[in-house]
Structure formats: C-alpha cells, structure tokens
Amino acid sequence: MAKVLCVLYDDPVSGHPASYARDDLPHIASYPGGQTLPTPRGIDFTPGQLLGSVSGELGLRRFLEDQGHTLVVTSDKDGPDSVFERELPDADIVISQPFWPAYLTAERIERASRLKLAITAGIGSDHVDLDAAIRHGVTVAEVTYCNSISVAEHVVMMILSLVRNYLPAHQIVRDGGWNIADAVARSYDLEGMHVGSVAAGRIGLAVLRRLAPFDVHLHYTDRHRLPAEVEQELGLTFHPSAEDMVPACDVVTINAPLHPETEGLFGDRLLATMKRGSYLINTARARIADRDAVVRALESGRLAGYAGDVWFPQPAPADHPWRTMPHHGMTPHISGSSLSAQARYAAGTREILESWFAGSAIREEYLIVDGGKLAGTGAHSYSTSGPQA
Ligand code: NDP
C-alpha cells in the first residue's frame, strides 16, 4: 500500500467555502488540437468546488483510502521542521501544485528513498529537480493542458490591464477619487501594437489566438516553428530567438517552461534591448526573469509595466521587491488554479494515480520524466542539468 503525501495551499482565511458564486462549470468537449480532458474512472468531488486547498484534498481521500493507501495532506512545506520534511522519508508518491510548490530538491529526493512518483497537479514541474528524479528513477508527471487556457486568459487580462492602466484607475475609484487625468496619463490602446510571445506551446499559442482579434501585430519565438498555415492564419512573425524578437515588440509575454535555456533570460542585457515603455507579462516562471533587473527596468522607464503571477520563492516573502515596484500588476500564483482548472487537474491527478496503481502506462503527454530520462512532454519541452526552482 502506498503513502501519498499531498502538499496543497491553505484554505481561505474564512474557512473552506460553504457556497460558491456560480452553480456549475461549462462543459468543455476537448482541448484545442483534440487532446481529451482527463478520463479517470471516477471522481469523488463536485466540479466547481475548491479542491486545491488543504480541505479540498484534490478530491482524493476516498479513492485512496478505499484501496488501503494512506493520504497525508499538508500546506506546511518549507523548512527542516515542516510536515513535508517529516513525512517525506517514507512517502511513495508526492503530489504538489506549482501555486504552492513542494520543492523536491536533490537533497530531498535523496532522503525520500521510497519515492517513485511525483505528480504536479497542474503544469510546470520545475519545482522538482529533474536531474535528481532521473538519477533516482522517480517518475514525474503533470496534467498537461489542464490549465493552459486558464493561464492564456489571465495573460490577455494582464496585457489589457497594464496597457489600459486599469489597476490604478480602479484604485482611484476605491479611494473615492475621480481624477481622470491621473487615470489616463498612462493609458493606451492595444490596437496596432506589436505583441510577442516567448514560446508558442499550449499557452503561448492560445494567447496569440486570443489576441489576434485585437488587431495587433503578432510575433513569436519558439524552439520549434508552428505550421505555416497557423502562422498565416494569425499573421505571425517568427523570430529565431527572444533576442531577435523583443526589440520589435511593445508587449512581450513569456510562455516557456523554466529550464536551463530560459533561466535568467530577461536580465539587464535583454531588457535593455526592449523599446522604452514596453510591457512584460510573465505567467510562466519567475526565474525566467532576473528579479532585480525587472525592478530596475520599471524604475528607469524601459518597462512601462510588468505583470504576472509567478514568484520565487513561493510564497513570496513580505519584502519581495515585486510587491512594491512601480507600475506592476502582480497577483499571487493563481492563473492556473481557477475553480475551472482545479476540476481538470484534480481529475487528471486521479487519472495518473489510477494508471500508476493499475500498473498501466501513464498518458504520454502527462510524462515529464520516466524510466530514468525525460519523457513525453518533458522530452519535447524541457532540458536537463538545470535550475532547481
Ligand atoms: P507547453 O509545453 O505546451 O509549451 C511550452 C513551449 O515552450 C513549447 O512550445 C516549447 O518549445 C517552448 N520552449 C521551451 N524552451 C524554449 C526556449 N528556450 N525558447 C522558446 N521557447 C521555448 O507548455 P504550456 O504552454 O502548457 O506551459 C508553459 C509554461 O507555463 C509551463 O512550463 C509553466 O512553467 C507555465 N505555467 C504557468 C501556470 C500558472 O499558473 N502561472 C500554469 C501552467 C503553466 P518546443 O516544445 O517547441 O520545444
């Protein structure tokens, strides 16, 4: 029987919700491109309810305990005295979400001698030291596509929010004010701007598709070029590198995984090549941008705005400079954890566990590391010998 150690974010301050703003979720038939949504044999939760926090337990308890497995759920994940540290040595499976990552460092993997499976209930497994997972034969799987559209919507919201100066204008209203000049002195139309995406994978392409009706000029860079008909349909300009793309853009959105090729990409050097007054949106991973270089670029006016939901570390300390830098539109790490997304990644986590316990293959697209090497989506989008986020 397996011990499953599940790290989830804390419940709402006022407790697990007794009711919700809406009664149901829309039916989504399939993801763009045809990949099917998660197909577990069953679920023990109501889609649309809060599953990603401790009391939600990703809807897994009954499923696991009925089969005799043990489920330990905690939000206490950091430091030598944390519940996670204490429970890890005899855990067979670790589940965690990127929003509240249980950092599986090489040292932790070393001490977790029974660990065989690390599931990311979401997308982005950079909180796991993939090299160490490869060395120790740990399978790493994530729920590919579960929240890609959720993030893409968040990116579009943040682009509009920065360019239109929405957040400061909203704050004026909340403060009882009405100075229109204050609100509009940094407000522009997105129409006609050049918008570029670093990566055109599931999220990047969905962002580009959603922006096309805004009559903007769309650019992208990626390790693999999109099919010519997609480039034509959306009017995309391909650039061989981020270095080549960003000087041409008014708005840049980062949608690549964190791995050795992308860590620190947006440092002083690359930021200096951006147009004065550019906007940078990063919902991918914080460490793709250099923390202090972003602050400097906002202070100098090189960047007119920075927004995103990814920080390092997570949770971000109270004195993290991104909380107080000028012209930012940061949120906590939430874009991929809408109630809609939670229903999908809870079901996907269950599907992965069902396959694992049955000894059958985990869907190829869910795999990041398997059999001692990068596999599935991991083999396509990640590289090794890299950063430990
Ligand atoms: P995909 O795997 O579909 O797409 C990632 C894309 O990045 C691929 O097209 C890949 O290229 C490309 N890429 C990799 N390295 C580079 C590079 N050096 N330069 C340019 N492009 C590169 O993943 P998703 O779109 O679903 O997710 C992307 C990332 O977004 C995740 O890895 C995660 O970090 C983040 N994310 C954030 C969430 C949030 O809540 N904020 C939620 C979900 C994801 P190719 O495959 O062609 O080699």
Side-chain angles (χ1 to χ4, degrees):
M1 291 298 106
K3 172 177 169 182
V4 180
L5 177 55
C6 186
V7 175
L8 300 176
Y9 46 78
D10 287 313
D11 281 346
V13 178
S14 54
H16 205 249
S19 66
Y20 291 86
R22 294 177 53 79
D23 297 326
D24 56 13
L25 297 177
H27 173 69
I28 310 290
S30 68
Y31 297 121
Q35 183 185 314
T36 56
L37 272 72
T39 51
R41 280 196 294 276
I43 53 168
D44 299 316
F45 59 83
T46 305
Q49 297 198 348
L50 185 61
L51 304 166
S53 72
V54 170
S55 294
E57 300 184 322
L58 295 176
L60 291 174
R61 186 166 295 279
R62 193 190 316 163
F63 161 70
L64 290 170
E65 290 185 347
D66 280 357
Q67 298 181 59
H69 303 301
T70 306
L71 175 66
V72 177
V73 179
T74 183
S75 65
D76 185 17
K77 67 188 183 69
D78 295 317
D81 300 325
S82 61
V83 173
F84 182 64
E85 283 282 347
R86 223 172 34 240
E87 299 284 349
L88 185 62
D90 63 347
D92 301 278
I93 297 173
V94 165
I95 302 172
S96 123
Q97 303 166 106
F99 325 105
W100 190 259
Y103 294 111
L104 271 175
T105 59
E107 300 73 45
R108 279 176 160 175
I109 290 176
E110 188 78 41
R111 283 190 301 104
S113 56
R114 285 176 52 177
L115 184 65
K116 283 283 167 288
L117 174 64
I119 302 177
T120 302
I123 301 173
S125 298
D126 49 276
H127 58 284
V128 180
D129 186 316
L130 298 183
D131 288 314
I134 286 170
R135 277 198 310 276
H136 288 81
V138 175
T139 294
V140 181
E142 60 185 44
V143 190
T144 305
Y145 235 138
C146 64
N147 55 17
S148 305
I149 302 304
S150 323
V151 178
E153 290 186 2
H154 205 83
V155 172
V156 173
M157 173 187 80
M158 285 182 149
I159 291 174
L160 288 168
S161 158
L162 288 184
V163 173
R164 309 280 323 178
N165 206 36
Y166 167 61
L167 290 170
H170 180 65
Q171 193 59 45
I172 288 171
V173 170
R174 295 183 76 96
D175 293 344
W178 193 262
N179 191 307
I180 291 173
D182 274 338
V184 301
R186 293 183 68 87
S187 174
Y188 297 88
D189 291 354
L190 183 62
E191 182 184 24
M193 286 192 175
H194 289 255
V195 183
S197 177
V198 177
R202 293 170 183 84
I203 295 173
L205 180 56
V207 169
L208 294 167
R209 279 197 185 289
R210 277 155 182 72
L211 287 174
F214 282 89
D215 291 332
V216 290
H217 305 277
L218 293 172
H219 302 249
Y220 81 102
T221 180
D222 197 291
R223 302 198 304 186
H224 300 90
R225 204 162 165 171
L226 291 166
E229 56 273 21
V230 177
E231 288 191 354
Q232 215 162 26
E233 177 200 341
L234 300 175
L236 303 178
T237 303
F238 173 75
H239 297 263
S241 65
E243 288 76 6
D244 189 69
M245 184 184 80
V246 304
C249 294
D250 303 285
V251 179
V252 173
T253 154
I254 306 175
N255 299 298
L258 173 66
H259 64 128
E261 284 172 24
T262 56
E263 187 182 12
L265 180 63
F266 281 81
D268 285 314
R269 227 167 32 153
L270 188 60
L271 288 166
T273 69
M274 295 180 77
K275 286 171 69 173
R276 195 185 82 81
S278 300
Y279 303 90
L280 183 58
I281 287 80
N282 179 10
T283 54
R285 283 297 179 262
R287 291 173 69 200
I288 297 174
D290 177 311
R291 186 192 72 173
D292 297 330
V294 166
V295 178
R296 284 190 286 273
L298 286 166
E299 285 171 351
S300 73
R302 176 62 46 192
L303 287 180
Y306 181 93
D309 67 333
V310 285
W311 306 69
F312 184 80
Q314 291 188 167
D319 63 353
H320 194 294
W322 287 3
R323 290 184 187 269
T324 48
M325 63 190 179
H327 312 304
H328 81 79
M330 296 299 295
T331 64
H333 195 164
I334 57 164
S335 66
S337 194
S338 58
L339 295 176
S340 322
Q342 288 175 43
R344 292 187 291 267
Y345 65 68
T349 302
R350 166 101 174 231
E351 179 188 332
I352 291 168
L353 288 169
E354 286 177 359
S355 303
W356 183 262
F357 291 134
S360 52
I362 293 170
R363 273 202 222 194
E364 185 73 7
E365 63 259 33
Y366 289 170
L367 291 174
I368 302 299
V369 169
D370 193 39
K373 56 183 189 326
L374 291 175
T377 293
H380 193 74
S381 298
Y382 283 79
S383 59
T384 48
S385 292
Q388 173 56 50

